[in-house]
Structures are given as C-alpha cells and as structure tokens.
Amino acid sequence: MSNVDQNPVKLLELEGVSISQSGREVLHDVTFDIYKGKFIGLIGTNGSGKTTLLRAILGIISPSSGHIRFLNSSKQGRSRNIGYVPQKIDFDPDMPLRARDLVALGLDGNRLGISKRKKSDKLLIDSLVEQVGAADFANSRVGELSGGEQQRIMIAHALISKPELILLDEPLANLDLRSQVEIVTLVSKLAREGNITVLISTHDMNPLLPVMDRILYIANGKVASGEVSEVVTTESLSSLYGHHVEVVNLKGRILVVPEIEEGGFNFLRGIPGNEDH
Amino acid sequence: MFSAFMLNAWEISSIVAVVSGVVGFFVVQRANAFAAHALPNGAFAGAAAASYLGVSAVIGLSVFSLAGALAIAGLSRRTRSDVATALVMVLMLSLGSLFLSFSSGYAQQIYSLLFGEVFGISRSEILPTFVVSLFCLIAVLFLYRQLIYTSVVPEAAQAKGVKLAFVDLMFLLILALTTTMAVPVIGTVLIFTLLISPAAAARSFTSKVPVAIMISVSLALITVWVSIALSYWTNYPVGFFVGACGAAIYASGRIYRSIQSKNLNFGEANSLHAL
Amino acid sequence: MAQLGSVFVIAGFFSSYPVRVALVAGLMVAVVSGTVGTFTIIRGQSFAGHSLADIGAAGGSAAYLVNIPAIYGFIGINLVAGLVLEFIGIGRLRGRDLATGIVLSAALGLTALFLYLDTIASTTTNVTASLLFGSILTIQGSSIPIILAVGAIAIAIVMVLYRPLVLSSISKELALAKGIPETKIAIGFLVALALNVSLTAITVGAILSTALLVGPAAIALKLTRRTGRAILIASAIGVIVTWIGIYLSYDSYYWPPHNHGWPASFFVVAIIFALFVTVDTIVRMRRKYLVGKRPAKG
C-alpha cells in the first residue's frame, strides 16, 4: 500500500504557518512535512481551510506567519512548477475551447505573445491526452464534457508541465462512485510512473484508502498528520471527528463507516463536504 | 454609395469592426459585457466634460474611459465586479450630467455620440483610428494566452504565476482604448453591440478559439457593411440596423448550435459510448 | 425658477412645489430601489438592473411616438425584456452577463430607431436628453399616484417572494431540494426589477435609477449579512442620500458657474460613491484589527 522507502526525500516543509482571510484566522500554526513520491490525502470539513492550505503551498496567498519551504530548490511558491487541479470548475458549455486546448494551456497558458506550437509540444499534448484516457473526447468542447471527463482533462492539464508535486482540490466532489474510483486510480498510476508527489483534498477518504500513503487531517485551523495505518483506526478517527467512526476490513478493503445517529445522517456533520449550510 | 465621404464611412467602420470583433471575443469569453457597456457610456460623459472645458472630445473620451477602466479594476478588488462596474459607471455618467448642465445646446451632440456619425467622418480621422486600433490588436496578441487562460481556469493560471488582477486591468485598458477610438465614429450604442453580438454568435459556430475570433471579425464586418448600406438606402439610423443585425446573428448562432447539439446527442445515443 | 433666488433657502426649499413632489417621489424611489436592489446584488443582476433602464428607453421612445404616457412604454418593454432575459439564460452564472448584453444591444437598436422617428415626428431632440438624464426636480405632481402604485407593486412582489428569494439566492440546489419553483421565483423577481427600474428610470433618469438600485444596497451588504436588515439599511441610505441630493441641487441655483442648478443625480451619486468607499475601508480596517485581537476558534 505505501512506498517502502528507506531514505525518504523531503520535498516540502511547512513550519508554524498561520493564514488569515477576510478577518478570520483560517489556519493556525500548521507544521508538517511532505516527502517525495508520497500520495497524501488532505481531509477536512467544508470551510476548514483545505483550499487555503493548497493555495498557500502554491504561493497564491502568503501566510501571515510561518514558512513554507521547498527543499532542494531555490525557487519558491509561484515560480515553482506545481501541478494544480482547482475545485469546482464551472466551464461555460458555449465556450469555444476543446479539451486538448485546455491541456495545452497547462503548457504555455502563462506565456506572453503568440507563437506556432512546436511539433514536440503537440506530441506531448497528444501523449498526455492519451495517458489520462481522454483521446475519445479530446476534440469536444470542454464545457460539454461530463464531470469525470473534465477531471481527466484537468489532470492532464496539471501534469503536462512535468511537475514534482501535484495538488488536487476536491477532485472527487460531484462525481459518481465509479468515476471517483477511476480518477483516484488514474492519479495514483500516473504519480507512481512519474514519481510525482500527490496532495489531494477530499471529504470522503474511502476512495483514497487503497492508494493513500499519508493523511493530513485538518480541523479548527489545525492540521494533524500521520501514516494511514496510524490514523485510520476506529479510536483515532473517532477522536478526530468527535463522533464514533468505525474502521472495518471488508474482504481485504479498509472502509471508514461513520455511525448513523438517530434522525439520519448526523454523523456526516463531522465529515467534510456533507454539511448543510 | 461609394462617393468620397461614403468611402470614409466604409473604411473607418471596417477598422472599428475588425478591432471590435477581436476585442469583443475576449469581452464575451471573459464575461466583461457590463464593462463593455459601462466604459463607452462613461466615456460619453467625458465628451460632455470636454465640450464644457473647451478641449477636444477625444481627450475627454480617453481620460474618462481610461480612468473608468482603472477605477473598475481597482474597485473590483473590493467588491463584486458587477457592483464595481455599476458604481463607476454611474459616477462617470453623473459627472457627465453635471458638465452637461453647465453647457447648453448639447442635445444634438448627445444623439451623435450615442449613435455615432459614421457618415460625417472626415479623412483626417482615419489615421488616428487606425493607429489606436493597431495598438489594441497588438496588445491583445501580446496577452493572448493569458487572456484565455485566466478566463477558463483562473485558479490554475494563478498557480502558474499569471497575475489575475494585472490581466484584468490590462484588458479593461484595451477595452477603454477601443472605446475611445470607436465612440466618436460609431457611438456608444453601436460599439457595445459590435463588441457583444458577433463574438457571442461566433462561439456557436466553432470550438476553436482562433477560428472563433476570425468568425467574430467577419460577422462584425458584415454587420457594419450591411447596416451602412441599408441605412444609406433607407435613411433609417445605422444604430437600428446594427442592433437588428446583432440580434439576428446571435439568434442564428443559437439556432445553429441547438441543431448541432441535437444531432450530436442523437449520434451519441446510437453509439455505445456510455457515461 | 427666478423667484427662488429671493426666498430664504430652507423655507423656500419646503415651500417649493417641485421640491415637495421630488421629496415624496424620492422617498418612494429610494425605498423600492433599496428593497429590490438588495436582491439584485445578491442575485448578481446589477447589469440587468442597469440595462432595464436603457432598455426602457426603447419603450419610452416608442410610447412617445404613439402618444401614450412614457411609463407604460417603459413598463411594457421591460416586462418583455425580463422574460427574454430569463429565457436566454440570466440564471446561469456564466451566461448571465452575455444574456443581458444581447438583450440590451437589441433594445438599443430599437431606441435608435424610435428616437429617430420621434425626431422626425416632432423635430425635437430633447426627448433623448430627458430619457437619459430625467431630473427628479421636474417630476409632475400628477405622476405621484402612479409612482406610488408601481413602487408598491414591486415591493409587494418582493415581500410575497421574500423567503424563497432568500433561499434561492443563497443556494439554488437547496431551493430546489425544498421544492421551490426556481424559474417562477426568478421570473417573479425580474418582474419586480422591471417595475422598479421602469419607475425609477422615468422619474429620476437612468443614472439615478442604477445608482439607487446598486449603491445603497451594496453599502448595506457591507454592513450586514442579513437580508432583511440590509433592505432596511439600503432603503434608509437611499432616502437620506436622495433628499440630501435634492436639497443640494435646489441650493445650487445660487452656485457657480451659471446660477441655474447642479443636477441632483450628481450629488446623489457622488455621496453614494464616497459612502461606499468609506464604509468598505472601515469594514476592512475593523476586520484587520479583529484578526490581531482574536485567535483562531477552537
């Protein structure tokens, strides 16, 4: 399940990071390390600061105190090559942009001026489209694709610049179960092939359990991290969520099953993404 | 119909149509229609100020439209951009009404600034219009990819180091220049239609950005040519024909697209391509 | 207006008939705009709200042509425009801006035509200016009943739809889940918006119509997140600012450069703009201060 790596290389280091947004301290004194090649799940409720944390790592917002450091690199934040799949993208169905054009934007969308695209770039775009299994719909309007198809394209878009680290913000939200599994399998396969570190935020950790190495749990502005085997136990999860959560082994698969309280799905309150606001 | 003064009308309206077609594509793509309405409208107030102060209308137009662009960009960082646009626009317009109240005998000019004086263009106005147009086109080409990237997935563009606020501001300034150039020629009403309708229709006919821009330019040219010709023959105002053409091409775009997607859905239902 | 100069300003102010009419009309206009405007901003329809003022001018100029009161032209075309807006996609976030633009540009074309026909018919171009810049100090006393009636209808619609409007403005999904007929609510609101803007555009002009629709509500929503409270604050700000504008406009008959009065719309807009920037700055500074004082919750 997890990489057995004798000499893990530290990629990223967060030290005492606090971030405030519109008058509220969203993250408080967050400290953790990310090691190269790991598949990390970022778990937390809606509004717990998952997106804020990812945007801080990207260098889009800067912490009010503390440091975010990339090891073995002088480049920080924005100038670094990090792949990013933002959450909840609402593509205009009428927009004249093909799926493969969106992938190409990951390659040169930040450049100024215009130029004819090189043959090698075209081949690269083709191969990425192929790798994420999007060849069938690469020439369709991106706004007309299904949610799962759009996620595949966004993953290709994030990977085309050959990043060391890729951040995915709630890529499984609004997907049906089958698409969720497909996306997780795809990301994990591509990450392993390319030795890419993955940080993926989600409200439901079950789809990630088969591939995840580490968990970052975020709540009340604080972050706790641990190996999956340490965190995903009935005791530890129950205390994190503040509700009883059962970890079961079902035919060799680990599943997290929240306890159903009287009146329906009250347990879901503890689990991100399911709150009725 | 092709006499000397009509030639001026043909030339200048074609220049304006080309720029509007290109800039308009990004207005639609970036959902900036309100700004495309607010800047010409507000700039029109600048012309009133210029007339009162006794300076050239172009100065009033450019000062008001560029200041308006800066103000909209600045205020958009503090509040929703549609609210920012509305507030800046009414501020400019109210300044215009103030200067208008100081001047007198302006009514005729109001009409011509609103609906343009394409038949009253002099030879000397063509060169400046051409130069400003060229500048706008070069600026759009320079920012081309960032303009698209930030409109499709702003967060991802930001992660790649693109400064959203900078791109927004630059585009509003391009829009302001387009406005300054176009308002004295075709008026605030026509420039808005030329920025919106051809580009909105073009999106329906293709799924490639460069092709959409070319179609947008073509439709803008057709719109002004047809409108000028009809206006010349019928004596009805150009503005009416531009508005009618704009609505017609937009409607034809929608119809084309709905027929096409019906065919597409039908095709998909027949194949085994599920999900 | 010449005799105005000879009267003591305040006393003259309230005894002036146009002023009293303006104060009453201003009150109604500001309250309706505060009420409808709050939802206009929450629903992201400021552009539509402004456009209806310009679209209404097409109806107004058409009405002028066939000799019926302009207000009916405004209301008629704006109701139609509201329906078209809903039909071509004002509800979708990505299409909202464009849908409004398309309808506006078509209406502007019609305005060009009708104004042209108007000028042929009456050889006057003043109709253009008055449609755009209509002045609160030139409202006829006889139009007060219709102002009150149309305003009351717009407010009544918002009040009837109040709860579903709040809900569907917060979350469409939530509204759908609760079985709220989203489309009907949306159309209902557009009708209220159309009536509001028709009323304000024709009485106080397109500039003040948009300024009063968007400005006070935008300020109020900086001050509170509760919809009901925002409506009250927006209406109060609107009324006060409008009355100050009327007073200053009246007073400005003695001002340079020509002693013939500055437009009320200028004062109202300038005050609203300044107030918006000030309130926004204060709210921001307060937030920064609070962050320093308060640790993260939990």
Side-chain angles (χ1 to χ4, degrees):
Chain A
M1 192 149 76
S2 63
N3 281 351
V4 183
D5 196 339
Q6 293 309 317
N7 289 315
V9 182
K10 205 192 269 183
L11 182 72
L12 177 66
E13 190 177 82
L14 275 83
E15 201 182 296
V17 170
S18 300
I19 299 173
S20 298
Q21 281 195 321
S22 52
R24 201 167 68 90
E25 192 168 51
V26 185
L27 294 174
H28 180 70
D29 197 15
V30 169
T31 299
F32 65 84
D33 300 330
I34 285 178
Y35 289 90
K36 195 161 170 50
K38 297 283 182 191
F39 192 111
I40 304 146
L42 176 61
I43 320 287
T45 51
N46 268 352
S48 62
K50 298 192 298 287
T51 301
T52 307
L53 183 61
L54 295 181
R55 286 165 65 84
I57 293 174
L58 286 164
I60 295 172
I61 47 177
S62 37
S64 41
S65 64
H67 300 283
I68 299 174
R69 227 174 270 124
F70 287 88
L71 281 296
N72 308 321
S73 168
S74 56
K75 294 180 184 168
Q76 297 293 324
R78 281 206 207 189
S79 54
R80 278 190 67 91
N81 185 2
I82 305 173
Y84 182 39
V85 177
Q87 71 174 340
K88 275 192 286 188
I89 308 163
D90 178 22
F91 291 110
D92 182 350
D94 295 331
M95 182 169 63
L97 194 84
R98 296 169 303 169
R100 57 174 294 124
D101 298 331
L102 180 52
V103 177
L105 281 175
L107 196 63
D108 55 20
N110 55 344
R111 291 213 211 129
L112 293 170
I114 51 166
S115 57
K116 202 169 168 2
R117 201 163 272 139
K118 283 182 290 185
K119 182 94 184 147
S120 61
D121 287 346
K122 282 186 182 162
L123 290 175
L124 185 60
I125 294 166
D126 285 339
S127 89
L128 254 300
V129 164
E130 191 71 41
Q131 282 177 53
V132 298
D136 283 350
F137 48 83
N139 288 320
S140 302
R141 278 177 202 249
V142 69
E144 287 183 332
L145 302 178
S146 73
E149 290 168 342
Q150 287 176 349
Q151 282 304 352
R152 283 169 189 271
I153 291 299
M154 283 309 293
I155 289 165
H157 162 272
L159 288 177
I160 196 164
S161 56
K162 303 202 169 76
E164 279 180 288
L165 171 65
I166 169 171
L167 311 181
L168 301 97
D169 198 355
E170 288 277 8
L172 307 180
N174 303 324
L175 293 188
D176 57 76
L177 274 175
R178 189 180 141 190
S179 304
Q180 287 187 358
V181 174
E182 283 173 1
I183 293 294
V184 170
T185 315
L186 176 69
V187 172
S188 125
K189 174 173 159 281
L190 294 176
R192 257 151 245 266
E193 285 169 6
N195 195 23
I196 299 163
T197 313
V198 179
L199 181 56
I200 178 169
S201 81
T202 175
H203 58 265
D204 178 9
M205 68 171 87
N206 279 325
L208 295 188
L209 283 173
V211 296
M212 184 162 57
D213 301 315
R214 277 185 83 80
I215 284 186
L216 281 173
Y217 182 81
I218 178 168
N220 296 328
K222 292 178 183 137
V223 171
S225 75
E227 292 289 325
V228 171
S229 52
E230 297 161 17
V231 179
V232 186
T233 62
T234 299
E235 299 73 35
S236 138
L237 280 184
S238 298
S239 78
L240 279 175
Y241 282 137
H243 298 274
H244 184 75
V245 177
E246 194 75 37
V247 176
V248 295
N249 188 326
L250 188 70
K251 295 180 186 166
R253 271 197 70 195
I254 307 287
L255 283 177
V256 178
V257 187
E259 178 182 280
I260 312 245
E261 287 174 15
E262 233 175 280
F265 298 98
N266 281 348
F267 75 90
L268 291 174
R269 295 233 175 84
I271 299 178
N274 291 313
E275 289 190 339
D276 259 16
H277 280 294
Chain B
M1 184 155 172
F2 293 99
S3 59
F5 84 96
M6 278 304 286
L7 214 57
N8 293 344
W10 290 119
E11 283 177 21
I12 207 151
S13 59
S14 303
I15 296 172
V16 170
V18 170
V19 182
S20 314
V22 174
V23 174
F25 174 81
F26 292 96
V27 167
V28 172
Q29 173 69 22
R30 300 173 63 78
N32 261 332
F34 196 3
H37 172 71
L39 286 177
N41 248 15
F44 152 75
S51 141
Y52 173 68
L53 298 170
V55 295
S56 145
V58 174
I59 294 178
L61 285 169
S62 50
V63 168
F64 265 63
S65 61
L66 292 172
L70 287 171
I72 291 173
L75 211 59
S76 291
R77 306 180 72 157
R78 292 166 161 250
T79 188
R80 308 173 60 125
S81 74
D82 60 338
V83 171
T85 311
L87 288 175
V88 171
M89 184 189 64
V90 292
L91 184 66
M92 291 199 285
L93 280 173
S94 73
L95 281 171
S97 81
L98 179 67
F99 285 112
L100 215 54
S101 80
F102 291 166
S103 343
S104 49
Y106 194 69
Q108 187 50 52
Q109 273 165 283
I110 293 182
Y111 189 85
S112 69
L113 276 175
L114 277 179
F115 301 107
E117 300 182 284
V118 76
F119 295 126
I121 298 296
S122 71
R123 199 76 208 149
S124 61
E125 285 175 81
I126 292 183
L127 186 65
T129 308
F130 180 72
V131 171
V132 176
S133 303
L134 205 60
F135 183 81
C136 289
L137 290 181
I138 291 170
V140 165
L141 285 184
F142 183 67
L143 290 170
Y144 180 76
R145 290 184 186 135
Q146 293 197 355
L147 285 172
I148 294 170
Y149 202 10
T150 51
S151 69
V152 181
V153 266
E155 301 88 353
Q158 222 179 353
K160 287 263 182 246
V162 179
K163 307 250 187 308
L164 299 187
F166 172 78
V167 178
D168 284 344
L169 173 65
M170 283 301 129
F171 184 66
L172 284 174
L173 289 175
I174 292 173
L175 194 55
L177 274 183
T178 308
T179 292
T180 306
M181 170 207 71
V183 167
V185 183
I186 59 168
T188 63
V189 166
L190 271 66
I191 182 61
F192 177 64
T193 304
L194 281 186
L195 284 169
I196 300 290
S197 301
R203 286 153 66 91
S204 299
F205 292 112
T206 175
S207 56
K208 292 180 193 159
V209 174
V211 181
I213 293 176
M214 278 185 262
I215 295 177
S216 169
V217 169
S218 316
L219 292 175
L221 281 170
I222 292 172
T223 303
V224 291
W225 288 341
V226 168
S227 302
I228 288 180
L230 287 176
S231 171
Y232 183 82
W233 282 322
T234 61
N235 259 334
Y236 283 108
V238 183
F240 166 65
F241 292 112
V242 170
C245 278
I249 56 173
Y250 175 74
S252 59
R254 298 303 320 176
I255 292 167
Y256 174 82
R257 185 122 155 71
S258 71
I259 291 171
Q260 204 198 27
S261 64
K262 240 178 227 152
N263 288 341
L264 212 73
N265 288 343
F266 186 66
E268 267 179 17
N270 278 345
S271 78
L272 284 171
H273 180 68
L275 260 181
Chain C
M1 291 293 161
Q3 80 269 25
L4 288 176
S6 60
V7 213
F8 181 56
V9 174
I10 295 286
F13 181 65
F14 287 109
S15 65
S16 155
Y17 180 68
V19 165
R20 275 181 290 160
V21 172
L23 289 176
V24 174
L27 174 77
M28 193 60 188
V29 161
V31 170
V32 184
S33 298
T35 311
V36 178
T38 302
F39 283 110
T40 306
I41 291 190
I42 296 175
R43 297 172 71 81
Q45 295 182 352
S46 306
F47 185 25
H50 163 71
S51 296
L52 288 172
D54 281 1
I55 293 167
S61 48
Y64 191 83
L65 205 60
V66 293
N67 255 327
I68 58 170
I71 180 99
Y72 299 117
F74 269 76
I75 292 177
I77 197 161
N78 276 345
L79 288 177
V80 173
L83 289 178
V84 176
L85 279 175
E86 176 61 31
F87 173 69
I88 69 174
I90 198 178
R92 280 186 298 128
L93 179 65
R94 299 301 298 244
R96 178 180 297 162
D97 195 65
L98 190 58
T100 311
I102 292 291
V103 174
L104 174 59
S105 94
L108 288 172
L110 285 179
T111 311
L113 177 68
F114 293 140
L115 281 180
Y116 168 77
L117 297 174
D118 287 346
T119 51
I120 288 182
S122 68
T123 68
T124 169
T125 47
N126 283 335
V127 62
T128 320
S130 66
L131 281 175
L132 257 179
F133 301 110
S135 166
I136 193 163
L137 279 166
T138 56
I139 299 172
Q140 302 294 311
S142 57
S143 49
I144 289 286
I146 186 143
I147 291 176
L148 295 181
V150 175
I153 296 173
I155 292 180
I157 292 175
V158 172
M159 287 303 134
V160 168
L161 299 178
Y162 186 78
R163 279 156 198 276
L165 263 180
V166 171
L167 200 61
S168 78
S169 302
I170 295 168
S171 160
K172 254 190 175 175
E173 289 79 26
L174 206 60
L176 277 175
K178 301 237 170 181
I180 288 170
E182 176 55 41
T183 312
K184 280 180 195 157
I185 300 295
I187 291 175
F189 179 71
L190 281 170
V191 168
L193 185 62
L195 290 176
N196 174 2
V197 175
S198 304
L199 167 70
T200 57
I202 196 144
T203 49
V204 297
I207 303 174
L208 264 193
S209 164
T210 303
L212 288 174
L213 185 72
V214 176
I219 297 168
L221 287 167
K222 290 264 170 205
L223 293 169
T224 177
R225 285 186 181 182
R226 297 217 202 136
T227 317
R229 216 176 269 179
I231 288 175
L232 293 179
I233 297 175
S235 305
I237 293 176
V239 172
I240 293 167
V241 168
T242 308
W243 282 356
I244 294 176
I246 293 169
Y247 175 74
L248 288 175
S249 174
Y250 176 83
D251 192 53
S252 68
Y253 278 98
Y254 308 100
W255 296 9
H258 300 309
N259 287 356
H260 72 57
W262 294 27
S265 62
F266 169 72
F267 296 113
V268 174
V269 171
I271 297 170
I272 285 177
F273 198 86
L275 199 59
F276 178 83
V277 173
T278 312
V279 166
D280 180 62
T281 309
I282 292 172
V283 168
R284 250 156 230 279
M285 279 164 56
R286 221 181 77 111
R287 260 192 212 147
K288 265 202 185 131
Y289 173 77
L290 283 179
V291 171
K293 297 291 266 185
R294 194 178 58 194
K297 56 168 183 158

